[in-house]
Amino acid sequence: MGWWQVNADTLAGSRFVLSPLAETFASLRLLHTAVATHPGERHWLDSHLPAYRRRLADDPVTALLVRSGLGREWIADFLTPTPRAGEAFEDEVARVREASPAAARTHVTLSLRGPLPPRLDRDDLPERAAGLLTYVWEETVRPYWPRRRRVLEADVAARTAQVGRGGWAAALDSLRPGTRWLGENRLQVNAHEYPPREISGAELVFVPVTPQRVGWVSWEGTDRYALVYPCAGVLADTGGRPVPASLAALLGTARARVLVLLDSPLSTSQLVAVTGQGLGSVGRHLRVLLDAGLVERGRAGRSVLYARTAAGQVLIEAGTGQTPAGVSIRS
């Protein structure tokens, strides 16, 4: 397993950071594998995969670069510069474009675990990679970025609260498969057999992305390290759950949206982030749904979470034309 040696001061000073480029690279990996983990991802792939494949078909060198740089155990490092807080996509992708051509070739060779294909023995690999990432950002991520950013912010809020309740060990254990706190200042970052790295005294950031089953690590020298992880699936899948028209007519679209989202427990702050509605509006919707017996409230540590009740589930199923469990319909 790969692990980092992290002292208490470094862990205490670590933070969560949002990165448009990390979100874009995660989306590139999703386009590359074309394997969806939930209906929202499937819809996104159906919308964007054909154009992405046409673009690569028209540019076989870049297509080979993608296949070679996204290794099974190692990603070509120049494709994933370590995120910095507050950077715009244009600033982040500029660091890909400015990578050394020789270093890019070395990184791809390492990713392949074998010789560099002759067609990739060239100096424009960083420019090609930056061009493809810019295409993925502009065409497949940027149109959804406001909602994705809200989802990522909701995940950060939940993780930060988890750190407050149970400390970093509890938060790190739940980031992604292969990541856990081993004790004795050791953070396991993946399941691969790589030599440990001493990162005490460096800057450490945790970066959520919405595509599921995606994660990686990156670093700049010995000064900055990042661990990228998929955000909570219950948040990421919101795009795959439309509001039934009949339910919207009954409750109002905004309130119905809240009820649809609560098939898994969410806090008020998470609902605000995911829906884009104001705190006051979400609070009013929750009060009405509580009074009607459609949702229930519970406490998890210091957090108050809301979830749909059985009555709320019956209403959702009726709105989608499903027959609620245990209910028979006779002519």
Side-chain angles (χ1 to χ4, degrees):
M1 62 183 174
W3 57 273
W4 294 344
Q5 190 78 28
V6 187
N7 64 18
D9 289 342
T10 298
L11 194 57
S14 62
R15 54 180 173 162
F16 292 91
V17 168
L18 303 189
S19 166
L21 180 61
E23 182 72 11
T24 300
F25 182 77
S27 299
L28 172 62
R29 289 183 66 180
L30 181 55
L31 288 165
H32 178 67
T33 62
V35 178
T37 58
H38 56 69
E41 285 189 350
R42 183 72 265 163
H43 176 73
W44 181 85
L45 280 172
D46 290 343
S47 299
H48 299 291
L49 189 57
Y52 170 78
R53 286 178 169 169
R54 286 195 299 270
R55 190 186 191 283
L56 289 190
D58 292 338
D59 186 355
V61 173
T62 301
L64 179 59
L65 173 59
V66 171
R67 293 195 301 272
S68 302
L70 300 184
R72 295 184 62 182
E73 295 186 5
W74 196 267
I75 299 167
D77 287 352
F78 81 101
L79 298 174
T80 57
T82 303
R84 300 171 182 171
E87 265 194 324
F89 173 82
E90 292 74 17
D91 297 322
E92 292 184 298
V93 80
R95 292 196 279 140
V96 177
R97 185 175 288 108
E98 294 162 2
S100 159
R105 290 192 293 269
T106 299
H107 296 167
V108 173
T109 301
L110 180 60
S111 175
L112 283 169
R113 301 294 196 206
L116 185 72
R119 283 197 295 173
L120 296 183
D121 189 8
R122 51 198 299 152
D123 287 344
D124 64 349
L125 299 186
E127 181 64 39
R128 288 179 175 275
L132 182 62
L133 287 166
T134 299
Y135 164 81
V136 174
W137 164 254
E138 293 289 349
E139 300 297 328
T140 77
V141 177
R142 188 175 183 178
Y144 313 99
W145 181 240
R147 191 195 72 82
R148 289 194 184 195
R149 184 176 58 237
R150 292 196 301 268
V151 168
L152 297 172
E153 289 169 346
D155 184 86
V156 168
R159 306 284 182 183
T160 302
Q162 190 174 22
V163 172
R165 293 194 303 270
W168 273 106
L172 295 174
D173 285 349
S174 65
L175 281 183
R176 66 183 178 97
T179 299
R180 64 192 180 99
W181 185 248
L182 300 173
E184 299 180 347
N185 292 341
R186 295 177 302 156
L187 169 61
Q188 179 180 328
V189 296
N190 56 43
H192 304 310
E193 293 297 330
Y194 295 128
R197 298 181 69 92
E198 171 62 70
I199 74 166
S200 297
E203 180 183 357
L204 174 61
V205 296
F206 300 97
V207 186
V209 292
T210 63
Q212 302 295 286
R213 297 183 185 171
V214 171
W216 64 90
V217 296
S218 66
W219 53 79
E220 289 180 8
T222 59
D223 298 327
R224 303 185 68 254
Y225 291 81
L227 192 155
V228 180
Y229 67 92
C231 74
V234 65
L235 299 174
D237 190 22
T238 55
R241 288 174 282 178
V243 175
S246 59
L247 189 64
L250 178 65
L251 299 177
T253 302
R255 187 168 297 150
R257 179 67 172 157
V258 171
L259 183 62
V260 167
L261 287 170
L262 288 176
D263 54 348
S264 293
L266 294 174
S267 68
T268 303
S269 61
Q270 287 175 322
L271 285 167
V272 168
V274 174
T275 63
Q277 301 177 37
L279 179 62
S281 296
V282 169
R284 287 191 294 273
H285 297 325
L286 288 171
R287 282 195 296 273
V288 171
L289 295 172
L290 278 167
D291 291 344
L294 301 178
V295 303
E296 58 188 358
R297 179 172 54 197
R299 184 172 289 277
R302 298 177 184 175
S303 299
V304 176
L305 301 178
Y306 296 84
R308 251 191 342 250
T309 62
Q313 183 62 27
V314 168
L315 197 59
I316 292 289
E317 291 172 345
T320 57
Q322 303 177 40
T323 302
V327 177
S328 62
I329 299 176
R330 298 181 181 180
S331 58

